[in-house]
Amino acid sequence: EQGRREGSEEGRREASFEILFSLITAKFGDLPDHARERILQASETEIREMARSVLVADSLEDVLGD
């Protein structure tokens, strides 16, 4: 049961990364390595906030909070 739950959580996290990468790439083009690393280190809450911010951000730095 715990293994299944952990696998499900990891799957949701991977899906969140993929959605965020797609949104950012569609708006700003290819991700630089530093941006990809920042996203991969982000918490689930940060990922959701970044995804929302893509809608109104003027730059990739605005999304990443840099």
Side-chain angles (χ1 to χ4, degrees):
E1 178 65 32
Q2 183 178 357
R4 191 178 347 197
R5 184 175 27 237
E6 289 173 0
S8 178
E9 289 173 11
E10 183 63 28
R12 281 193 304 275
R13 186 170 171 80
E14 291 286 326
S16 295
F17 287 138
E18 290 303 316
I19 290 168
L20 182 56
F21 289 144
S22 294
L23 290 171
I24 290 173
T25 301
K27 187 160 184 178
F28 301 111
D30 291 335
L31 282 172
D33 289 339
H34 78 276
R36 183 172 298 278
E37 288 302 315
R38 168 69 177 94
I39 292 167
L40 291 173
Q41 293 175 8
S43 69
E44 187 68 30
T45 300
E46 289 173 314
I47 294 295
R48 284 193 299 273
E49 290 171 1
M50 287 179 196
R52 278 189 222 105
S53 73
V54 169
L55 299 172
V56 297
D58 292 323
S59 69
L60 179 57
E61 289 75 23
D62 290 342
V63 174
L64 299 177
D66 292 345

Short mmCIF file of all heavy atoms in Angstrom, two decimals:
data_model
loop_
_atom_site.label_atom_id
_atom_site.label_comp_id
_atom_site.label_asym_id
_atom_site.label_seq_id
_atom_site.Cartn_x
_atom_site.Cartn_y
_atom_site.Cartn_z
N GLU A 1 0.83 -1.20 0.00
CA GLU A 1 0.00 0.00 0.00
C GLU A 1 0.87 1.26 0.00
O GLU A 1 0.63 2.17 -0.77
CB GLU A 1 -0.94 -0.01 1.22
CG GLU A 1 -1.81 1.22 1.34
CD GLU A 1 -2.80 1.37 0.20
OE1 GLU A 1 -3.27 0.36 -0.34
OE2 GLU A 1 -3.10 2.52 -0.15
N GLN A 2 1.87 1.32 0.89
CA GLN A 2 2.73 2.50 0.96
C GLN A 2 3.51 2.67 -0.34
O GLN A 2 3.65 3.78 -0.84
CB GLN A 2 3.69 2.42 2.13
CG GLN A 2 4.55 3.67 2.26
CD GLN A 2 5.48 3.62 3.45
OE1 GLN A 2 5.47 2.69 4.23
NE2 GLN A 2 6.30 4.64 3.59
N GLY A 3 4.01 1.58 -0.89
CA GLY A 3 4.75 1.65 -2.15
C GLY A 3 3.89 2.17 -3.28
O GLY A 3 4.34 2.97 -4.10
N ARG A 4 2.65 1.74 -3.31
CA ARG A 4 1.73 2.21 -4.34
C ARG A 4 1.45 3.70 -4.17
O ARG A 4 1.41 4.45 -5.14
CB ARG A 4 0.43 1.42 -4.27
CG ARG A 4 -0.47 1.65 -5.43
CD ARG A 4 -1.73 0.85 -5.40
NE ARG A 4 -1.70 -0.21 -4.41
CZ ARG A 4 -2.52 -1.23 -4.37
NH1 ARG A 4 -3.43 -1.33 -5.30
NH2 ARG A 4 -2.47 -2.13 -3.44
N ARG A 5 1.28 4.13 -2.92
CA ARG A 5 1.02 5.55 -2.65
C ARG A 5 2.23 6.39 -3.06
O ARG A 5 2.09 7.44 -3.67
CB ARG A 5 0.70 5.75 -1.17
CG ARG A 5 0.32 7.18 -0.84
CD ARG A 5 -0.13 7.39 0.60
NE ARG A 5 0.42 6.46 1.55
CZ ARG A 5 -0.31 5.67 2.35
NH1 ARG A 5 -1.61 5.71 2.29
NH2 ARG A 5 0.27 4.85 3.19
N GLU A 6 3.43 5.94 -2.71
CA GLU A 6 4.65 6.68 -3.08
C GLU A 6 4.80 6.74 -4.60
O GLU A 6 5.19 7.78 -5.14
CB GLU A 6 5.87 6.03 -2.44
CG GLU A 6 5.95 6.25 -0.95
CD GLU A 6 7.07 5.47 -0.29
OE1 GLU A 6 7.80 4.74 -0.99
OE2 GLU A 6 7.20 5.57 0.95
N GLY A 7 4.48 5.64 -5.27
CA GLY A 7 4.55 5.63 -6.72
C GLY A 7 3.56 6.59 -7.34
O GLY A 7 3.86 7.28 -8.32
N SER A 8 2.38 6.66 -6.75
CA SER A 8 1.35 7.58 -7.24
C SER A 8 1.77 9.03 -7.04
O SER A 8 1.59 9.87 -7.92
CB SER A 8 0.04 7.31 -6.49
OG SER A 8 -0.95 8.21 -6.90
N GLU A 9 2.35 9.33 -5.89
CA GLU A 9 2.84 10.69 -5.61
C GLU A 9 3.96 11.07 -6.58
O GLU A 9 3.99 12.19 -7.09
CB GLU A 9 3.33 10.80 -4.17
CG GLU A 9 2.21 10.77 -3.16
CD GLU A 9 2.70 10.71 -1.72
OE1 GLU A 9 3.91 10.90 -1.48
OE2 GLU A 9 1.87 10.48 -0.83
N GLU A 10 4.86 10.14 -6.83
CA GLU A 10 5.95 10.40 -7.77
C GLU A 10 5.41 10.62 -9.17
O GLU A 10 5.88 11.49 -9.90
CB GLU A 10 6.96 9.24 -7.76
CG GLU A 10 8.16 9.47 -8.64
CD GLU A 10 9.02 10.65 -8.22
OE1 GLU A 10 9.05 11.00 -7.02
OE2 GLU A 10 9.66 11.24 -9.12
N GLY A 11 4.39 9.87 -9.55
CA GLY A 11 3.77 10.03 -10.85
C GLY A 11 3.13 11.40 -11.01
O GLY A 11 3.24 12.03 -12.06
N ARG A 12 2.45 11.87 -9.97
CA ARG A 12 1.85 13.20 -10.01
C ARG A 12 2.92 14.27 -10.12
O ARG A 12 2.77 15.25 -10.84
CB ARG A 12 0.98 13.45 -8.77
CG ARG A 12 -0.37 12.78 -8.84
CD ARG A 12 -1.31 13.31 -7.76
NE ARG A 12 -0.80 13.18 -6.41
CZ ARG A 12 -0.91 12.09 -5.65
NH1 ARG A 12 -1.52 11.02 -6.13
NH2 ARG A 12 -0.42 12.07 -4.43
N ARG A 13 4.01 14.09 -9.39
CA ARG A 13 5.11 15.06 -9.43
C ARG A 13 5.71 15.12 -10.84
O ARG A 13 5.95 16.20 -11.37
CB ARG A 13 6.15 14.68 -8.39
CG ARG A 13 7.28 15.69 -8.24
CD ARG A 13 8.13 15.33 -7.02
NE ARG A 13 9.32 16.11 -6.94
CZ ARG A 13 9.40 17.35 -6.48
NH1 ARG A 13 8.31 17.94 -6.05
NH2 ARG A 13 10.54 18.00 -6.44
N GLU A 14 5.94 13.96 -11.43
CA GLU A 14 6.48 13.91 -12.80
C GLU A 14 5.53 14.60 -13.77
O GLU A 14 5.97 15.36 -14.65
CB GLU A 14 6.70 12.46 -13.23
CG GLU A 14 7.82 11.76 -12.51
CD GLU A 14 9.18 12.23 -12.96
OE1 GLU A 14 9.34 12.55 -14.16
OE2 GLU A 14 10.10 12.27 -12.13
N ALA A 15 4.23 14.36 -13.62
CA ALA A 15 3.24 14.99 -14.49
C ALA A 15 3.27 16.51 -14.32
O ALA A 15 3.18 17.25 -15.30
CB ALA A 15 1.86 14.44 -14.21
N SER A 16 3.41 16.97 -13.09
CA SER A 16 3.47 18.41 -12.82
C SER A 16 4.68 19.03 -13.49
O SER A 16 4.59 20.11 -14.09
CB SER A 16 3.54 18.68 -11.31
OG SER A 16 2.36 18.26 -10.68
N PHE A 17 5.83 18.36 -13.42
CA PHE A 17 7.04 18.85 -14.09
C PHE A 17 6.80 18.95 -15.60
O PHE A 17 7.13 19.96 -16.22
CB PHE A 17 8.24 17.94 -13.85
CG PHE A 17 8.83 18.00 -12.48
CD1 PHE A 17 9.21 16.84 -11.83
CD2 PHE A 17 9.02 19.21 -11.83
CE1 PHE A 17 9.77 16.89 -10.56
CE2 PHE A 17 9.58 19.26 -10.56
CZ PHE A 17 9.95 18.10 -9.93
N GLU A 18 6.24 17.91 -16.17
CA GLU A 18 6.02 17.88 -17.62
C GLU A 18 5.08 19.00 -18.05
O GLU A 18 5.32 19.66 -19.07
CB GLU A 18 5.48 16.52 -18.05
CG GLU A 18 6.50 15.41 -17.97
CD GLU A 18 7.75 15.69 -18.78
OE1 GLU A 18 7.63 16.16 -19.94
OE2 GLU A 18 8.85 15.45 -18.27
N ILE A 19 4.02 19.23 -17.28
CA ILE A 19 3.09 20.31 -17.62
C ILE A 19 3.80 21.65 -17.54
O ILE A 19 3.67 22.49 -18.43
CB ILE A 19 1.85 20.26 -16.70
CG1 ILE A 19 1.01 19.04 -17.03
CG2 ILE A 19 1.03 21.55 -16.82
CD1 ILE A 19 -0.06 18.73 -16.01
N LEU A 20 4.54 21.87 -16.47
CA LEU A 20 5.25 23.15 -16.31
C LEU A 20 6.28 23.34 -17.41
O LEU A 20 6.36 24.42 -18.01
CB LEU A 20 5.91 23.24 -14.93
CG LEU A 20 6.64 24.55 -14.65
CD1 LEU A 20 5.72 25.76 -14.80
CD2 LEU A 20 7.25 24.52 -13.25
N PHE A 21 7.06 22.31 -17.73
CA PHE A 21 8.04 22.42 -18.82
C PHE A 21 7.34 22.77 -20.12
O PHE A 21 7.81 23.62 -20.88
CB PHE A 21 8.83 21.12 -18.99
CG PHE A 21 9.80 20.82 -17.88
CD1 PHE A 21 10.02 19.51 -17.48
CD2 PHE A 21 10.52 21.82 -17.26
CE1 PHE A 21 10.93 19.22 -16.47
CE2 PHE A 21 11.43 21.54 -16.25
CZ PHE A 21 11.62 20.23 -15.85
N SER A 22 6.20 22.15 -20.39
CA SER A 22 5.46 22.43 -21.63
C SER A 22 4.95 23.85 -21.68
O SER A 22 5.06 24.52 -22.71
CB SER A 22 4.27 21.46 -21.76
OG SER A 22 4.72 20.15 -21.93
N LEU A 23 4.40 24.34 -20.57
CA LEU A 23 3.89 25.72 -20.53
C LEU A 23 5.01 26.73 -20.74
O LEU A 23 4.86 27.67 -21.53
CB LEU A 23 3.21 25.98 -19.18
CG LEU A 23 1.89 25.27 -18.93
CD1 LEU A 23 1.46 25.47 -17.48
CD2 LEU A 23 0.82 25.76 -19.88
N ILE A 24 6.11 26.52 -20.04
CA ILE A 24 7.23 27.46 -20.14
C ILE A 24 7.82 27.44 -21.55
O ILE A 24 8.09 28.49 -22.13
CB ILE A 24 8.32 27.15 -19.08
CG1 ILE A 24 7.79 27.51 -17.70
CG2 ILE A 24 9.60 27.91 -19.39
CD1 ILE A 24 8.71 27.10 -16.56
N THR A 25 8.01 26.26 -22.10
CA THR A 25 8.58 26.14 -23.44
C THR A 25 7.68 26.78 -24.48
O THR A 25 8.16 27.45 -25.40
CB THR A 25 8.84 24.66 -23.78
OG1 THR A 25 9.73 24.11 -22.80
CG2 THR A 25 9.45 24.50 -25.15
N ALA A 26 6.37 26.61 -24.33
CA ALA A 26 5.44 27.21 -25.28
C ALA A 26 5.51 28.74 -25.24
O ALA A 26 5.41 29.40 -26.27
CB ALA A 26 4.01 26.75 -24.97
N LYS A 27 5.71 29.29 -24.06
CA LYS A 27 5.72 30.75 -23.93
C LYS A 27 7.09 31.37 -24.16
O LYS A 27 7.19 32.43 -24.78
CB LYS A 27 5.19 31.15 -22.56
CG LYS A 27 5.02 32.66 -22.42
CD LYS A 27 4.09 33.04 -21.32
CE LYS A 27 3.88 34.55 -21.30
NZ LYS A 27 2.94 34.94 -20.26
N PHE A 28 8.15 30.73 -23.63
CA PHE A 28 9.47 31.36 -23.63
C PHE A 28 10.52 30.64 -24.47
O PHE A 28 11.65 31.11 -24.58
CB PHE A 28 10.00 31.50 -22.19
CG PHE A 28 9.10 32.30 -21.31
CD1 PHE A 28 8.41 31.71 -20.27
CD2 PHE A 28 8.93 33.66 -21.51
CE1 PHE A 28 7.58 32.44 -19.44
CE2 PHE A 28 8.10 34.42 -20.69
CZ PHE A 28 7.42 33.81 -19.65
N GLY A 29 10.19 29.50 -25.04
CA GLY A 29 11.17 28.73 -25.81
C GLY A 29 11.91 27.73 -24.93
O GLY A 29 11.51 27.45 -23.80
N ASP A 30 12.98 27.19 -25.46
CA ASP A 30 13.74 26.15 -24.75
C ASP A 30 14.23 26.63 -23.38
O ASP A 30 14.63 27.79 -23.23
CB ASP A 30 14.95 25.71 -25.58
CG ASP A 30 14.54 24.94 -26.81
OD1 ASP A 30 13.44 24.35 -26.82
OD2 ASP A 30 15.32 24.93 -27.78
N LEU A 31 14.20 25.71 -22.43
CA LEU A 31 14.64 26.02 -21.07
C LEU A 31 16.16 25.94 -20.96
O LEU A 31 16.75 24.94 -21.36
CB LEU A 31 14.07 25.00 -20.08
CG LEU A 31 12.63 25.16 -19.67
CD1 LEU A 31 12.19 23.96 -18.84
CD2 LEU A 31 12.46 26.41 -18.86
N PRO A 32 16.78 26.96 -20.39
CA PRO A 32 18.20 26.84 -20.08
C PRO A 32 18.40 25.82 -18.94
O PRO A 32 17.48 25.55 -18.18
CB PRO A 32 18.60 28.24 -19.63
CG PRO A 32 17.38 29.07 -19.61
CD PRO A 32 16.23 28.25 -20.06
N ASP A 33 19.59 25.29 -18.86
CA ASP A 33 19.88 24.28 -17.83
C ASP A 33 19.59 24.78 -16.42
O ASP A 33 19.04 24.03 -15.60
CB ASP A 33 21.33 23.81 -17.91
CG ASP A 33 21.59 22.96 -19.15
OD1 ASP A 33 20.63 22.41 -19.72
OD2 ASP A 33 22.77 22.85 -19.54
N HIS A 34 19.93 26.03 -16.11
CA HIS A 34 19.71 26.53 -14.75
C HIS A 34 18.21 26.57 -14.41
O HIS A 34 17.82 26.31 -13.27
CB HIS A 34 20.34 27.92 -14.54
CG HIS A 34 19.54 29.05 -15.12
ND1 HIS A 34 19.62 29.42 -16.46
CD2 HIS A 34 18.63 29.87 -14.55
CE1 HIS A 34 18.79 30.44 -16.66
NE2 HIS A 34 18.18 30.73 -15.53
N ALA A 35 17.37 26.85 -15.40
CA ALA A 35 15.92 26.87 -15.17
C ALA A 35 15.40 25.46 -14.94
O ALA A 35 14.59 25.22 -14.03
CB ALA A 35 15.21 27.51 -16.36
N ARG A 36 15.87 24.52 -15.73
CA ARG A 36 15.45 23.12 -15.57
C ARG A 36 15.84 22.61 -14.17
O ARG A 36 15.05 21.98 -13.49
CB ARG A 36 16.10 22.26 -16.65
CG ARG A 36 15.67 20.81 -16.62
CD ARG A 36 16.19 20.06 -17.82
NE ARG A 36 15.69 20.58 -19.08
CZ ARG A 36 14.49 20.28 -19.59
NH1 ARG A 36 13.69 19.48 -18.94
NH2 ARG A 36 14.12 20.78 -20.75
N GLU A 37 17.04 22.92 -13.72
CA GLU A 37 17.49 22.50 -12.39
C GLU A 37 16.65 23.14 -11.29
O GLU A 37 16.30 22.49 -10.31
CB GLU A 37 18.97 22.82 -12.19
CG GLU A 37 19.89 21.95 -12.98
CD GLU A 37 19.71 20.47 -12.67
OE1 GLU A 37 19.62 20.10 -11.48
OE2 GLU A 37 19.64 19.68 -13.63
N ARG A 38 16.34 24.42 -11.44
CA ARG A 38 15.51 25.13 -10.45
C ARG A 38 14.15 24.46 -10.33
O ARG A 38 13.64 24.24 -9.23
CB ARG A 38 15.36 26.60 -10.86
CG ARG A 38 14.31 27.38 -10.12
CD ARG A 38 14.70 27.62 -8.66
NE ARG A 38 13.71 28.41 -8.00
CZ ARG A 38 12.67 27.93 -7.28
NH1 ARG A 38 12.51 26.64 -7.15
NH2 ARG A 38 11.83 28.74 -6.70
N ILE A 39 13.56 24.11 -11.46
CA ILE A 39 12.24 23.47 -11.45
C ILE A 39 12.32 22.08 -10.83
O ILE A 39 11.47 21.71 -10.02
CB ILE A 39 11.67 23.42 -12.88
CG1 ILE A 39 11.36 24.84 -13.35
CG2 ILE A 39 10.44 22.53 -12.95
CD1 ILE A 39 11.09 24.96 -14.83
N LEU A 40 13.33 21.32 -11.18
CA LEU A 40 13.47 19.96 -10.64
C LEU A 40 13.68 19.95 -9.14
O LEU A 40 13.35 18.97 -8.47
CB LEU A 40 14.60 19.22 -11.34
CG LEU A 40 14.34 18.87 -12.81
CD1 LEU A 40 15.59 18.28 -13.44
CD2 LEU A 40 13.16 17.90 -12.92
N GLN A 41 14.18 21.04 -8.57
CA GLN A 41 14.40 21.13 -7.13
C GLN A 41 13.21 21.73 -6.39
O GLN A 41 13.19 21.74 -5.16
CB GLN A 41 15.65 21.95 -6.85
CG GLN A 41 16.91 21.29 -7.32
CD GLN A 41 18.14 22.18 -7.16
OE1 GLN A 41 18.08 23.23 -6.55
NE2 GLN A 41 19.25 21.75 -7.71
N ALA A 42 12.21 22.19 -7.12
CA ALA A 42 11.06 22.87 -6.52
C ALA A 42 10.12 21.88 -5.84
O ALA A 42 10.01 20.73 -6.24
CB ALA A 42 10.31 23.64 -7.59
N SER A 43 9.44 22.39 -4.83
CA SER A 43 8.41 21.58 -4.15
C SER A 43 7.15 21.54 -5.02
O SER A 43 7.01 22.31 -5.98
CB SER A 43 8.06 22.22 -2.80
OG SER A 43 7.37 23.45 -3.00
N GLU A 44 6.23 20.68 -4.67
CA GLU A 44 4.97 20.58 -5.41
C GLU A 44 4.21 21.91 -5.37
O GLU A 44 3.66 22.34 -6.37
CB GLU A 44 4.10 19.46 -4.82
CG GLU A 44 2.87 19.17 -5.61
CD GLU A 44 3.14 18.55 -6.96
OE1 GLU A 44 4.15 17.84 -7.12
OE2 GLU A 44 2.32 18.77 -7.87
N THR A 45 4.24 22.58 -4.24
CA THR A 45 3.59 23.88 -4.11
C THR A 45 4.25 24.90 -5.03
O THR A 45 3.56 25.67 -5.72
CB THR A 45 3.63 24.37 -2.65
OG1 THR A 45 2.95 23.42 -1.83
CG2 THR A 45 3.00 25.73 -2.49
N GLU A 46 5.57 24.92 -5.06
CA GLU A 46 6.28 25.85 -5.94
C GLU A 46 5.98 25.57 -7.41
O GLU A 46 5.83 26.51 -8.20
CB GLU A 46 7.79 25.76 -5.71
CG GLU A 46 8.23 26.33 -4.39
CD GLU A 46 9.71 26.08 -4.11
OE1 GLU A 46 10.18 24.94 -4.31
OE2 GLU A 46 10.39 27.04 -3.71
N ILE A 47 5.87 24.30 -7.77
CA ILE A 47 5.56 23.93 -9.15
C ILE A 47 4.20 24.49 -9.54
O ILE A 47 4.03 25.07 -10.62
CB ILE A 47 5.58 22.39 -9.33
CG1 ILE A 47 6.99 21.84 -9.13
CG2 ILE A 47 5.02 21.99 -10.70
CD1 ILE A 47 7.99 22.29 -10.14
N ARG A 48 3.20 24.33 -8.66
CA ARG A 48 1.86 24.87 -8.95
C ARG A 48 1.90 26.39 -9.08
O ARG A 48 1.26 26.96 -9.98
CB ARG A 48 0.87 24.45 -7.86
CG ARG A 48 0.43 23.00 -7.98
CD ARG A 48 -0.77 22.70 -7.11
NE ARG A 48 -0.52 22.92 -5.69
CZ ARG A 48 -0.01 22.02 -4.87
NH1 ARG A 48 0.30 20.83 -5.31
NH2 ARG A 48 0.17 22.30 -3.60
N GLU A 49 2.64 27.05 -8.22
CA GLU A 49 2.75 28.52 -8.28
C GLU A 49 3.43 28.95 -9.58
O GLU A 49 3.02 29.92 -10.22
CB GLU A 49 3.51 29.05 -7.08
CG GLU A 49 2.74 28.93 -5.78
CD GLU A 49 3.58 29.26 -4.55
OE1 GLU A 49 4.78 29.59 -4.69
OE2 GLU A 49 3.03 29.17 -3.45
N MET A 50 4.48 28.24 -9.97
CA MET A 50 5.17 28.56 -11.22
C MET A 50 4.23 28.37 -12.42
O MET A 50 4.21 29.21 -13.33
CB MET A 50 6.40 27.67 -11.41
CG MET A 50 7.56 28.00 -10.51
SD MET A 50 8.91 26.84 -10.85
CE MET A 50 9.93 27.09 -9.42
N ALA A 51 3.47 27.28 -12.41
CA ALA A 51 2.55 27.02 -13.52
C ALA A 51 1.52 28.14 -13.65
O ALA A 51 1.22 28.60 -14.75
CB ALA A 51 1.86 25.67 -13.34
N ARG A 52 0.99 28.60 -12.53
CA ARG A 52 0.03 29.71 -12.56
C ARG A 52 0.69 31.00 -13.06
O ARG A 52 0.09 31.76 -13.81
CB ARG A 52 -0.55 29.95 -11.17
CG ARG A 52 -1.68 29.03 -10.84
CD ARG A 52 -2.37 29.45 -9.54
NE ARG A 52 -2.65 28.26 -8.78
CZ ARG A 52 -2.00 27.85 -7.70
NH1 ARG A 52 -1.05 28.60 -7.19
NH2 ARG A 52 -2.30 26.74 -7.09
N SER A 53 1.92 31.22 -12.64
CA SER A 53 2.59 32.47 -13.00
C SER A 53 2.94 32.56 -14.48
O SER A 53 3.09 33.66 -15.01
CB SER A 53 3.84 32.68 -12.13
OG SER A 53 4.87 31.80 -12.52
N VAL A 54 3.06 31.42 -15.16
CA VAL A 54 3.37 31.44 -16.59
C VAL A 54 2.31 32.26 -17.34
O VAL A 54 2.63 32.95 -18.31
CB VAL A 54 3.45 30.00 -17.16
CG1 VAL A 54 3.51 30.01 -18.68
CG2 VAL A 54 4.64 29.26 -16.60
N LEU A 55 1.09 32.23 -16.89
CA LEU A 55 0.00 32.92 -17.58
C LEU A 55 0.20 34.43 -17.65
O LEU A 55 -0.22 35.06 -18.61
CB LEU A 55 -1.34 32.62 -16.88
CG LEU A 55 -1.76 31.16 -16.86
CD1 LEU A 55 -2.98 30.99 -15.99
CD2 LEU A 55 -2.02 30.66 -18.27
N VAL A 56 0.84 35.00 -16.64
CA VAL A 56 0.97 36.46 -16.58
C VAL A 56 2.41 36.95 -16.61
O VAL A 56 2.66 38.15 -16.67
CB VAL A 56 0.27 37.02 -15.31
CG1 VAL A 56 -1.22 36.74 -15.38
CG2 VAL A 56 0.88 36.45 -14.06
N ALA A 57 3.36 36.03 -16.60
CA ALA A 57 4.77 36.41 -16.53
C ALA A 57 5.25 37.02 -17.84
O ALA A 57 4.83 36.62 -18.93
CB ALA A 57 5.62 35.18 -16.21
N ASP A 58 6.13 38.00 -17.70
CA ASP A 58 6.76 38.63 -18.87
C ASP A 58 8.09 37.98 -19.22
O ASP A 58 8.61 38.19 -20.31
CB ASP A 58 6.99 40.13 -18.61
CG ASP A 58 5.69 40.88 -18.51
OD1 ASP A 58 4.74 40.57 -19.26
OD2 ASP A 58 5.60 41.79 -17.67
N SER A 59 8.64 37.21 -18.28
CA SER A 59 9.93 36.57 -18.53
C SER A 59 10.03 35.26 -17.76
O SER A 59 9.26 35.02 -16.83
CB SER A 59 11.07 37.49 -18.07
OG SER A 59 11.08 37.59 -16.66
N LEU A 60 10.97 34.44 -18.15
CA LEU A 60 11.22 33.18 -17.46
C LEU A 60 11.63 33.46 -16.02
O LEU A 60 11.24 32.75 -15.10
CB LEU A 60 12.31 32.39 -18.19
CG LEU A 60 12.72 31.06 -17.57
CD1 LEU A 60 11.52 30.13 -17.43
CD2 LEU A 60 13.81 30.42 -18.41
N GLU A 61 12.39 34.53 -15.80
CA GLU A 61 12.82 34.88 -14.45
C GLU A 61 11.62 35.18 -13.56
O GLU A 61 11.64 34.87 -12.37
CB GLU A 61 13.77 36.07 -14.49
CG GLU A 61 15.14 35.73 -15.07
CD GLU A 61 15.14 35.56 -16.58
OE1 GLU A 61 14.24 36.11 -17.27
OE2 GLU A 61 16.03 34.86 -17.08
N ASP A 62 10.58 35.78 -14.13
CA ASP A 62 9.35 36.04 -13.36
C ASP A 62 8.72 34.73 -12.89
O ASP A 62 8.21 34.64 -11.77
CB ASP A 62 8.32 36.82 -14.19
CG ASP A 62 8.73 38.26 -14.46
OD1 ASP A 62 9.62 38.77 -13.75
OD2 ASP A 62 8.17 38.84 -15.39
N VAL A 63 8.74 33.72 -13.74
CA VAL A 63 8.18 32.42 -13.39
C VAL A 63 8.99 31.75 -12.30
O VAL A 63 8.45 31.20 -11.34
CB VAL A 63 8.10 31.50 -14.64
CG1 VAL A 63 7.65 30.10 -14.24
CG2 VAL A 63 7.19 32.10 -15.69
N LEU A 64 10.31 31.80 -12.45
CA LEU A 64 11.19 31.11 -11.51
C LEU A 64 11.37 31.85 -10.19
O LEU A 64 11.88 31.29 -9.24
CB LEU A 64 12.57 30.89 -12.15
CG LEU A 64 12.58 30.05 -13.42
CD1 LEU A 64 13.99 29.99 -13.98
CD2 LEU A 64 12.04 28.66 -13.16
N GLY A 65 10.95 33.10 -10.17
CA GLY A 65 11.10 33.88 -8.94
C GLY A 65 12.52 34.37 -8.74
O GLY A 65 12.92 34.68 -7.62
N ASP A 66 13.28 34.44 -9.81
CA ASP A 66 14.68 34.90 -9.72
C ASP A 66 14.76 36.41 -9.81
O ASP A 66 13.96 37.08 -10.37
CB ASP A 66 15.52 34.30 -10.85
CG ASP A 66 15.68 32.80 -10.66
OD1 ASP A 66 15.41 32.29 -9.56
OD2 ASP A 66 16.08 32.14 -11.63
#
